[in-house]
Amino acid sequence: TDFDSKKKRKVAEIYQALNSDPIDVATLRRMAISEGGLLTDEIRCKVWPKLLSVNTDDLPPLPAGKELREDNKDYQQVLLDVRRSLRRFPPGMPDDQREGLQEELIDIILHVLKRNPQLHYYQGYHDIVVTFLLVVGDRLATALVEKLSTHHLRDFMDPTMDNTKHILNYLMPIIDQVNPEVHDFMQSAEVGTIFALSWLITWFGHVLSDFRHVVRLYDFFLACHPLMPIYFAAVIVLYREQEVLDCECDMASVHHLLSQIPQDLPYETLISRAGDLFVQFPPSELAREAAQQQAERTAASTFKDFELASVQQRPDTVLRQRFRERLRGEERTKSILTKPRTNRFVKLAVMGLTVALGAAALAVVKSALEWAPKFELQIFP
Protein backbone atom coordinates (compact mmCIF):
# COMPACT_ATOMS: atom_id res chain seq x y z
CA THR A 1 0.00 0.00 0.00
CA ASP A 2 0.91 3.65 -0.36
CA PHE A 3 1.31 4.05 3.41
CA ASP A 4 3.76 1.14 3.61
CA SER A 5 5.92 2.45 0.81
CA LYS A 6 5.97 5.90 2.45
CA LYS A 7 7.01 4.24 5.68
CA LYS A 8 9.78 2.26 3.98
CA ARG A 9 11.09 5.43 2.36
CA LYS A 10 11.12 7.20 5.69
CA VAL A 11 12.96 4.34 7.41
CA ALA A 12 15.57 4.39 4.64
CA GLU A 13 16.00 8.14 4.99
CA ILE A 14 16.43 7.87 8.77
CA TYR A 15 19.13 5.20 8.43
CA GLN A 16 20.88 7.23 5.76
CA ALA A 17 21.00 10.22 8.13
CA LEU A 18 22.27 7.99 10.95
CA ASN A 19 25.00 6.51 8.78
CA SER A 20 26.27 9.74 7.27
CA ASP A 21 29.45 11.24 8.66
CA PRO A 22 28.96 13.43 10.62
CA ILE A 23 25.47 12.25 11.53
CA ASP A 24 22.82 14.36 9.83
CA VAL A 25 21.06 15.64 12.95
CA ALA A 26 18.94 18.19 11.02
CA THR A 27 17.37 15.40 8.94
CA LEU A 28 16.80 13.30 12.06
CA ARG A 29 15.00 16.25 13.66
CA ARG A 30 12.86 16.65 10.57
CA MET A 31 12.02 12.93 10.54
CA ALA A 32 11.06 13.04 14.23
CA ILE A 33 8.69 15.94 13.58
CA SER A 34 7.14 14.89 10.27
CA GLU A 35 4.18 12.54 9.92
CA GLY A 36 4.45 9.35 11.95
CA GLY A 37 7.55 10.50 13.83
CA LEU A 38 10.29 7.91 14.24
CA LEU A 39 7.96 4.96 13.55
CA THR A 40 9.52 2.24 15.77
CA ASP A 41 11.16 1.91 19.18
CA GLU A 42 14.17 0.32 17.51
CA ILE A 43 14.71 3.55 15.54
CA ARG A 44 14.03 5.67 18.64
CA CYS A 45 16.86 3.88 20.47
CA LYS A 46 19.21 5.11 17.76
CA VAL A 47 17.77 8.58 17.06
CA TRP A 48 16.75 9.91 20.49
CA PRO A 49 20.38 9.95 21.72
CA LYS A 50 21.38 11.93 18.61
CA LEU A 51 18.62 14.48 19.17
CA LEU A 52 19.87 14.94 22.72
CA SER A 53 23.56 14.80 21.80
CA VAL A 54 24.22 11.78 24.05
CA ASN A 55 27.19 9.56 23.25
CA THR A 56 25.94 5.96 23.39
CA ASP A 57 29.46 4.48 23.19
CA ASP A 58 30.32 5.84 26.56
CA LEU A 59 27.42 5.15 28.92
CA PRO A 60 28.33 5.11 32.60
CA PRO A 61 27.54 1.88 34.47
CA LEU A 62 24.46 2.04 36.66
CA PRO A 63 25.14 2.23 40.39
CA ALA A 64 23.72 -0.37 42.72
CA GLY A 65 20.22 0.62 43.81
CA LYS A 66 20.77 -0.06 47.49
CA GLU A 67 23.32 2.67 48.12
CA LEU A 68 21.23 5.15 46.14
CA ARG A 69 18.22 4.59 48.33
CA GLU A 70 19.82 4.64 51.74
CA ASP A 71 20.32 8.35 52.21
CA ASN A 72 18.19 9.93 49.53
CA LYS A 73 15.79 12.64 50.66
CA ASP A 74 13.49 12.02 47.67
CA TYR A 75 13.34 8.24 47.99
CA GLN A 76 9.98 8.03 49.81
CA GLN A 77 8.22 10.39 47.40
CA VAL A 78 9.69 8.68 44.33
CA LEU A 79 8.64 5.31 45.72
CA LEU A 80 5.05 6.51 46.23
CA ASP A 81 4.84 7.98 42.73
CA VAL A 82 6.32 4.91 41.06
CA ARG A 83 3.96 2.59 42.97
CA ARG A 84 1.06 4.66 41.67
CA SER A 85 2.34 4.46 38.10
CA LEU A 86 0.73 1.11 37.24
CA ARG A 87 -1.24 2.43 34.32
CA ARG A 88 1.91 3.69 32.62
CA PHE A 89 2.96 0.09 31.91
CA PRO A 90 1.54 -1.86 28.97
CA PRO A 91 -1.72 -3.62 29.92
CA GLY A 92 -1.19 -7.35 30.26
CA MET A 93 2.48 -7.07 31.27
CA PRO A 94 3.25 -9.80 33.85
CA ASP A 95 3.43 -8.43 37.42
CA ASP A 96 6.99 -9.53 38.07
CA GLN A 97 8.22 -7.88 34.87
CA ARG A 98 6.42 -4.66 35.75
CA GLU A 99 7.78 -4.72 39.30
CA GLY A 100 11.30 -5.15 37.94
CA LEU A 101 10.80 -2.12 35.70
CA GLN A 102 9.43 -0.09 38.61
CA GLU A 103 12.61 -0.84 40.58
CA GLU A 104 14.70 0.30 37.59
CA LEU A 105 12.56 3.43 37.36
CA ILE A 106 13.29 4.32 40.99
CA ASP A 107 17.04 3.77 40.44
CA ILE A 108 17.20 5.93 37.31
CA ILE A 109 15.45 8.83 39.05
CA LEU A 110 17.60 8.64 42.19
CA HIS A 111 20.77 8.29 40.11
CA VAL A 112 20.05 11.46 38.09
CA LEU A 113 19.14 13.42 41.24
CA LYS A 114 22.24 12.25 43.07
CA ARG A 115 24.55 13.26 40.21
CA ASN A 116 22.82 16.64 39.81
CA PRO A 117 22.13 18.05 43.27
CA GLN A 118 20.88 21.30 41.67
CA LEU A 119 17.84 19.41 40.33
CA HIS A 120 14.74 19.01 42.47
CA TYR A 121 12.37 16.09 42.03
CA TYR A 122 8.78 16.96 41.14
CA GLN A 123 5.66 14.78 40.99
CA GLY A 124 5.19 13.84 37.37
CA TYR A 125 8.89 13.52 36.61
CA HIS A 126 8.54 9.74 36.82
CA ASP A 127 5.97 9.90 33.99
CA ILE A 128 8.68 11.18 31.68
CA VAL A 129 11.32 8.76 32.92
CA VAL A 130 9.10 5.69 32.52
CA THR A 131 8.51 6.59 28.86
CA PHE A 132 12.26 6.51 28.22
CA LEU A 133 12.70 3.33 30.26
CA LEU A 134 10.03 1.48 28.27
CA VAL A 135 11.44 2.61 24.91
CA VAL A 136 15.23 2.38 25.36
CA GLY A 137 15.94 0.33 28.51
CA ASP A 138 17.54 1.44 31.77
CA ARG A 139 21.12 2.31 30.85
CA LEU A 140 20.35 4.46 27.85
CA ALA A 141 17.27 5.92 29.59
CA THR A 142 19.51 7.10 32.44
CA ALA A 143 21.81 9.00 30.08
CA LEU A 144 18.95 10.52 28.06
CA VAL A 145 16.95 11.53 31.12
CA GLU A 146 19.99 13.14 32.70
CA LYS A 147 20.61 15.26 29.58
CA LEU A 148 16.93 16.11 29.32
CA SER A 149 16.73 17.05 33.00
CA THR A 150 19.60 19.50 32.71
CA HIS A 151 18.15 21.02 29.51
CA HIS A 152 14.50 20.74 28.41
CA LEU A 153 13.10 19.89 31.86
CA ARG A 154 15.44 22.11 33.82
CA ASP A 155 12.79 24.74 34.58
CA PHE A 156 10.47 22.19 36.19
CA MET A 157 13.29 21.02 38.48
CA ASP A 158 13.92 24.28 40.27
CA PRO A 159 13.27 24.54 44.01
CA THR A 160 10.22 26.73 43.24
CA MET A 161 7.51 26.63 40.60
CA ASP A 162 8.37 30.11 39.30
CA ASN A 163 9.88 29.08 35.98
CA THR A 164 7.21 26.45 35.39
CA LYS A 165 4.51 29.08 35.94
CA HIS A 166 6.41 31.34 33.64
CA ILE A 167 6.30 28.78 30.83
CA LEU A 168 2.56 28.27 31.44
CA ASN A 169 2.24 32.04 30.92
CA TYR A 170 2.91 31.49 27.22
CA LEU A 171 -0.32 29.53 26.79
CA MET A 172 -2.77 32.43 26.73
CA PRO A 173 -0.77 34.68 24.36
CA ILE A 174 -0.57 31.83 21.82
CA ILE A 175 -4.32 31.23 22.06
CA ASP A 176 -4.90 34.97 21.78
CA GLN A 177 -2.93 35.20 18.53
CA VAL A 178 -5.01 32.51 16.86
CA ASN A 179 -8.45 32.85 18.43
CA PRO A 180 -9.14 35.99 20.46
CA GLU A 181 -12.68 34.81 21.15
CA VAL A 182 -11.53 31.65 22.96
CA HIS A 183 -8.85 33.68 24.74
CA ASP A 184 -11.35 36.28 25.99
CA PHE A 185 -13.82 33.59 27.05
CA MET A 186 -11.13 31.86 29.10
CA GLN A 187 -10.06 35.18 30.62
CA SER A 188 -13.68 35.94 31.60
CA ALA A 189 -14.02 32.50 33.15
CA GLU A 190 -10.76 33.18 35.05
CA VAL A 191 -9.75 29.60 34.39
CA GLY A 192 -5.98 30.27 34.45
CA THR A 193 -3.55 27.73 33.04
CA ILE A 194 -3.21 25.17 35.83
CA PHE A 195 -5.30 22.68 33.82
CA ALA A 196 -2.28 22.33 31.50
CA LEU A 197 0.30 21.88 34.27
CA SER A 198 0.33 18.07 34.24
CA TRP A 199 0.43 18.10 30.42
CA LEU A 200 3.49 20.29 30.43
CA ILE A 201 5.57 18.73 33.20
CA THR A 202 5.00 15.14 32.03
CA TRP A 203 5.14 15.95 28.30
CA PHE A 204 1.56 14.60 28.18
CA GLY A 205 2.78 11.20 29.42
CA HIS A 206 0.50 11.33 32.43
CA VAL A 207 -2.70 12.23 30.61
CA LEU A 208 -2.66 10.13 27.42
CA SER A 209 -3.63 6.52 27.87
CA ASP A 210 -2.22 5.18 24.59
CA PHE A 211 1.54 4.73 24.81
CA ARG A 212 1.92 5.07 21.03
CA HIS A 213 0.59 8.62 21.19
CA VAL A 214 2.96 9.46 24.04
CA VAL A 215 6.10 8.32 22.21
CA ARG A 216 4.95 10.05 19.04
CA LEU A 217 4.81 13.32 20.99
CA TYR A 218 8.21 12.60 22.54
CA ASP A 219 9.69 12.28 19.04
CA PHE A 220 8.27 15.72 18.28
CA PHE A 221 9.32 17.41 21.54
CA LEU A 222 12.85 15.97 21.50
CA ALA A 223 13.39 17.44 18.04
CA CYS A 224 12.10 20.91 18.92
CA HIS A 225 12.56 23.90 21.16
CA PRO A 226 11.86 23.23 24.88
CA LEU A 227 8.72 25.40 24.68
CA MET A 228 7.05 23.23 22.04
CA PRO A 229 4.93 21.34 24.63
CA ILE A 230 3.20 24.61 25.55
CA TYR A 231 2.42 25.26 21.87
CA PHE A 232 0.99 21.76 21.68
CA ALA A 233 -1.13 22.47 24.77
CA ALA A 234 -2.45 25.64 23.08
CA VAL A 235 -3.31 23.70 19.94
CA ILE A 236 -5.35 21.20 21.96
CA VAL A 237 -7.36 24.03 23.52
CA LEU A 238 -7.86 25.67 20.11
CA TYR A 239 -8.95 22.36 18.61
CA ARG A 240 -11.69 22.21 21.27
CA GLU A 241 -12.88 25.74 20.52
CA GLN A 242 -16.55 24.83 20.19
CA GLU A 243 -16.69 22.81 23.41
CA VAL A 244 -14.98 25.64 25.26
CA LEU A 245 -17.35 28.32 23.96
CA ASP A 246 -20.39 26.13 24.70
CA CYS A 247 -19.26 25.70 28.30
CA GLU A 248 -20.62 27.68 31.26
CA CYS A 249 -18.36 30.70 31.57
CA ASP A 250 -17.07 30.00 35.07
CA MET A 251 -13.81 28.72 36.38
CA ALA A 252 -14.95 25.33 37.64
CA SER A 253 -16.76 24.33 34.42
CA VAL A 254 -14.03 25.44 32.03
CA HIS A 255 -11.28 23.97 34.18
CA HIS A 256 -13.14 20.66 34.37
CA LEU A 257 -13.69 20.57 30.62
CA LEU A 258 -10.11 21.41 29.72
CA SER A 259 -8.41 19.16 32.23
CA GLN A 260 -10.20 16.11 30.77
CA ILE A 261 -8.09 15.59 27.67
CA PRO A 262 -9.86 13.73 24.80
CA GLN A 263 -8.04 10.51 23.92
CA ASP A 264 -8.96 10.51 20.22
CA LEU A 265 -7.14 13.68 19.21
CA PRO A 266 -5.92 13.94 15.59
CA TYR A 267 -2.28 13.90 16.71
CA GLU A 268 -0.58 14.39 13.34
CA THR A 269 -2.74 17.39 12.50
CA LEU A 270 -2.16 18.94 15.91
CA ILE A 271 1.60 18.36 15.75
CA SER A 272 1.63 20.05 12.38
CA ARG A 273 -0.38 23.00 13.74
CA ALA A 274 1.88 23.38 16.76
CA GLY A 275 4.85 23.53 14.39
CA ASP A 276 3.06 26.17 12.31
CA LEU A 277 2.26 28.31 15.33
CA PHE A 278 5.80 28.10 16.60
CA VAL A 279 7.11 29.37 13.28
CA GLN A 280 4.53 32.14 13.11
CA PHE A 281 4.66 33.26 16.72
CA PRO A 282 8.09 32.29 18.03
CA PRO A 283 8.60 32.63 21.77
CA SER A 284 10.58 35.83 21.28
CA GLU A 285 7.46 37.53 19.92
CA LEU A 286 5.26 36.36 22.77
CA ALA A 287 7.85 37.03 25.43
CA ARG A 288 6.66 40.45 26.46
CA GLU A 289 3.13 39.24 26.95
CA ALA A 290 4.41 36.35 28.99
CA ALA A 291 6.33 38.97 31.01
CA GLN A 292 9.66 37.47 30.19
CA GLN A 293 11.86 39.21 32.76
CA GLN A 294 13.67 36.02 33.59
CA ALA A 295 14.67 34.98 30.07
CA GLU A 296 18.17 34.53 31.32
CA ARG A 297 17.22 32.15 34.06
CA THR A 298 15.03 29.71 32.17
CA ALA A 299 16.55 26.64 30.60
CA ALA A 300 14.82 27.40 27.35
CA SER A 301 17.22 30.33 26.97
CA THR A 302 20.19 27.97 26.94
CA PHE A 303 18.63 25.79 24.27
CA LYS A 304 20.49 27.70 21.58
CA ASP A 305 23.83 26.62 23.06
CA PHE A 306 22.58 23.08 23.42
CA GLU A 307 21.34 22.99 19.85
CA LEU A 308 24.59 24.40 18.51
CA ALA A 309 26.57 21.86 20.48
CA SER A 310 24.48 19.04 19.10
CA VAL A 311 25.33 20.07 15.57
CA GLN A 312 29.00 19.49 16.51
CA GLN A 313 30.20 22.78 15.12
CA ARG A 314 33.66 24.15 15.72
CA PRO A 315 33.76 26.63 18.61
CA ASP A 316 34.87 29.56 16.45
CA THR A 317 31.82 29.28 14.20
CA VAL A 318 29.67 29.16 17.32
CA LEU A 319 31.25 32.36 18.61
CA ARG A 320 30.91 34.15 15.31
CA GLN A 321 27.28 33.11 15.14
CA ARG A 322 26.74 34.30 18.72
CA PHE A 323 28.10 37.72 17.86
CA ARG A 324 25.92 38.02 14.74
CA GLU A 325 22.92 36.94 16.76
CA ARG A 326 23.61 39.53 19.40
CA LEU A 327 23.58 42.26 16.77
CA ARG A 328 20.44 40.80 15.22
CA GLY A 329 18.89 40.49 18.68
CA GLU A 330 19.48 44.18 19.37
CA GLU A 331 17.89 45.10 16.05
CA ARG A 332 14.99 42.84 16.77
CA THR A 333 14.45 44.25 20.24
CA LYS A 334 14.18 47.72 18.69
CA SER A 335 11.67 46.57 16.10
CA ILE A 336 9.55 44.64 18.60
CA LEU A 337 9.38 47.59 20.95
CA THR A 338 8.15 49.91 18.22
CA LYS A 339 5.86 47.50 16.38
CA PRO A 340 2.15 48.19 16.92
CA ARG A 341 0.09 45.17 17.84
CA THR A 342 -1.72 43.67 14.84
CA ASN A 343 -5.48 43.82 15.00
CA ARG A 344 -6.24 40.80 17.10
CA PHE A 345 -9.74 40.33 15.76
CA VAL A 346 -8.49 39.34 12.37
CA LYS A 347 -8.82 35.62 12.96
CA LEU A 348 -5.71 34.07 11.58
CA ALA A 349 -6.18 31.54 8.83
CA VAL A 350 -2.99 29.81 9.81
CA MET A 351 -4.08 26.37 10.75
CA GLY A 352 -2.71 23.67 8.56
CA LEU A 353 -0.57 26.00 6.48
CA THR A 354 2.09 23.37 6.33
CA VAL A 355 0.27 20.20 7.12
CA ALA A 356 3.08 18.28 5.46
CA LEU A 357 5.34 20.00 7.99
CA GLY A 358 8.39 19.73 5.76
CA ALA A 359 8.83 23.49 5.61
CA ALA A 360 7.69 24.16 9.14
CA ALA A 361 9.95 21.48 10.51
CA LEU A 362 12.96 23.09 8.93
CA ALA A 363 11.91 26.52 10.09
CA VAL A 364 11.30 25.25 13.61
CA VAL A 365 14.75 23.80 13.66
CA LYS A 366 16.59 26.63 11.96
CA SER A 367 15.03 30.01 12.52
CA ALA A 368 12.73 29.73 15.43
CA LEU A 369 15.22 28.50 17.94
CA GLU A 370 15.81 32.10 18.92
CA TRP A 371 14.95 32.78 22.48
CA ALA A 372 13.61 36.11 23.57
CA PRO A 373 16.12 38.90 23.15
CA LYS A 374 17.24 40.33 26.44
CA PHE A 375 14.82 43.13 27.10
CA GLU A 376 15.81 45.95 29.35
CA LEU A 377 13.96 45.33 32.57
CA GLN A 378 12.35 48.77 32.78
CA ILE A 379 10.04 47.81 29.90
CA PHE A 380 8.10 45.76 32.40
CA PRO A 381 5.79 47.56 34.78
Side-chain angles (χ1 to χ4, degrees), residues 85-91 93 98 101-102 105 130 133-134:
S85 67
L86 292 188
R87 56 174 211 80
R88 290 301 320 276
F89 293 88
M93 178 182 272
R98 191 202 68 242
L101 284 167
Q102 286 178 305
L105 181 56
V130 74
L133 174 62
L134 290 171

Side-chain angles (χ1 to χ4, degrees), residues 335-350:
S335 74
I336 288 177
L337 298 187
T338 53
K339 192 167 67 183
R341 174 117 195 247
T342 46
N343 176 358
R344 47 198 281 285
F345 295 104
V346 181
K347 187 168 171 188
L348 293 155
V350 303

Side-chain angles (χ1 to χ4, degrees), residues 117-138:
Q118 78 282 13
L119 300 178
H120 296 259
Y121 177 75
Y122 64 88
Q123 278 186 286
Y125 181 67
H126 70 286
D127 280 300
I128 288 188
V129 182
V130 74
T131 307
F132 283 91
L133 174 62
L134 290 171
V135 173
V136 304
D138 59 347

Side-chain angles (χ1 to χ4, degrees), residues 3-219:
F3 177 68
D4 286 340
S5 63
K6 240 165 83 176
K7 214 165 140 177
K8 277 199 185 105
R9 266 206 313 278
K10 185 166 194 179
V11 170
E13 218 174 323
I14 290 171
Y15 278 101
Q16 193 184 341
L18 281 167
N19 295 327
S20 67
D21 185 20
I23 288 165
D24 183 352
V25 180
T27 294
L28 293 177
R29 283 182 194 277
R30 206 173 68 239
M31 296 289 126
I33 294 169
S34 63
E35 192 181 351
L38 295 172
L39 303 170
T40 70
D41 286 355
E42 191 189 341
I43 292 176
R44 291 184 176 101
C45 289
K46 297 183 167 72
V47 176
W48 282 4
K50 305 300 177 230
L51 296 178
L52 284 171
S53 220
V54 165
N55 179 2
T56 47
D57 299 329
D58 189 26
L59 295 176
L62 283 179
K66 202 160 157 287
E67 58 210 53
L68 275 176
R69 298 172 188 216
E70 270 162 10
D71 49 22
N72 196 299
K73 65 177 179 9
D74 296 300
Y75 174 57
Q76 286 317 93
Q77 185 61 55
V78 173
L79 182 67
L80 282 174
D81 289 347
V82 169
R83 286 216 176 115
R84 284 198 300 254
S85 67
L86 292 188
R87 56 174 211 80
R88 290 301 320 276
F89 293 88
M93 178 182 272
D95 287 354
D96 54 346
Q97 190 187 351
R98 191 202 68 242
E99 284 159 15
L101 284 167
Q102 286 178 305
E103 292 303 308
E104 287 176 9
L105 181 56
I106 293 171
D107 288 345
I108 294 172
I109 294 172
L110 296 180
H111 174 69
V112 172
L113 293 172
K114 185 171 183 162
R115 278 173 46 101
N116 300 275
Q118 78 282 13
L119 300 178
H120 296 259
Y121 177 75
Y122 64 88
Q123 278 186 286
Y125 181 67
H126 70 286
D127 280 300
I128 288 188
V129 182
V130 74
T131 307
F132 283 91
L133 174 62
L134 290 171
V135 173
V136 304
D138 59 347
R139 256 188 96 187
L140 185 48
T142 306
L144 296 182
V145 165
E146 180 163 14
K147 178 59 84 83
L148 202 68
S149 304
T150 51
H151 289 87
H152 292 62
L153 308 177
R154 180 68 188 84
D155 295 325
F156 310 146
M157 304 191 79
D158 274 349
T160 70
M161 288 275 290
D162 292 351
N163 283 341
T164 305
K165 284 192 199 125
H166 177 71
I167 294 171
L168 280 170
N169 286 347
Y170 276 82
L171 185 70
M172 295 307 283
I174 299 168
I175 292 170
D176 191 23
Q177 292 287 1
V178 181
N179 193 326
E181 193 186 355
V182 168
H183 170 271
D184 294 351
F185 181 89
M186 288 171 71
Q187 293 288 59
S188 308
E190 297 182 353
V191 66
T193 52
I194 279 303
F195 66 85
L197 177 65
S198 68
W199 306 356
L200 182 68
I201 64 176
T202 67
W203 275 13
F204 297 83
H206 186 72
V207 290
L208 299 180
S209 51
D210 187 330
F211 191 68
R212 286 169 318 177
H213 296 152
V214 177
V215 291
R216 170 64 188 104
L217 282 180
Y218 279 43
D219 292 341

Side-chain angles (χ1 to χ4, degrees), residues 218-336:
Y218 279 43
D219 292 341
F220 178 46
F221 295 152
L222 286 170
C224 291
H225 189 289
L227 281 178
M228 192 54 90
I230 203 72
Y231 282 78
F232 193 78
V235 164
I236 290 179
V237 175
L238 291 162
Y239 171 73
R240 303 182 71 191
E241 166 188 13
Q242 212 41 60
E243 289 173 86
V244 172
L245 297 175
D246 291 344
C247 194
E248 289 293 313
C249 189
D250 64 72
M251 192 198 125
S253 312
V254 182
H255 178 83
H256 179 74
L257 171 78
L258 288 174
S259 50
Q260 306 292 320
I261 202 166
Q263 294 295 323
D264 56 348
L265 295 165
Y267 291 91
E268 294 301 336
T269 311
L270 297 183
I271 284 171
S272 169
R273 286 180 183 178
D276 277 356
L277 290 186
F278 191 100
V279 174
Q280 269 192 298
F281 311 112
S284 51
E285 284 184 22
L286 303 171
R288 291 181 70 204
E289 281 181 75
Q292 174 62 350
Q293 295 105 308
Q294 45 193 29
E296 292 309 288
R297 283 222 310 275
T298 48
S301 61
T302 63
F303 183 68
K304 194 72 193 165
D305 303 337
F306 174 59
E307 210 263 339
L308 288 171
S310 79
V311 189
Q312 301 156 332
Q313 296 177 357
R314 300 206 320 282
D316 56 332
T317 46
V318 173
L319 287 171
R320 275 206 303 277
Q321 196 165 342
R322 268 302 138 69
F323 181 66
R324 280 204 305 274
E325 266 156 24
R326 222 181 44 239
L327 293 178
R328 275 212 309 271
E330 285 160 16
E331 288 302 304
R332 199 169 54 234
T333 307
K334 278 185 210 137
S335 74
I336 288 177

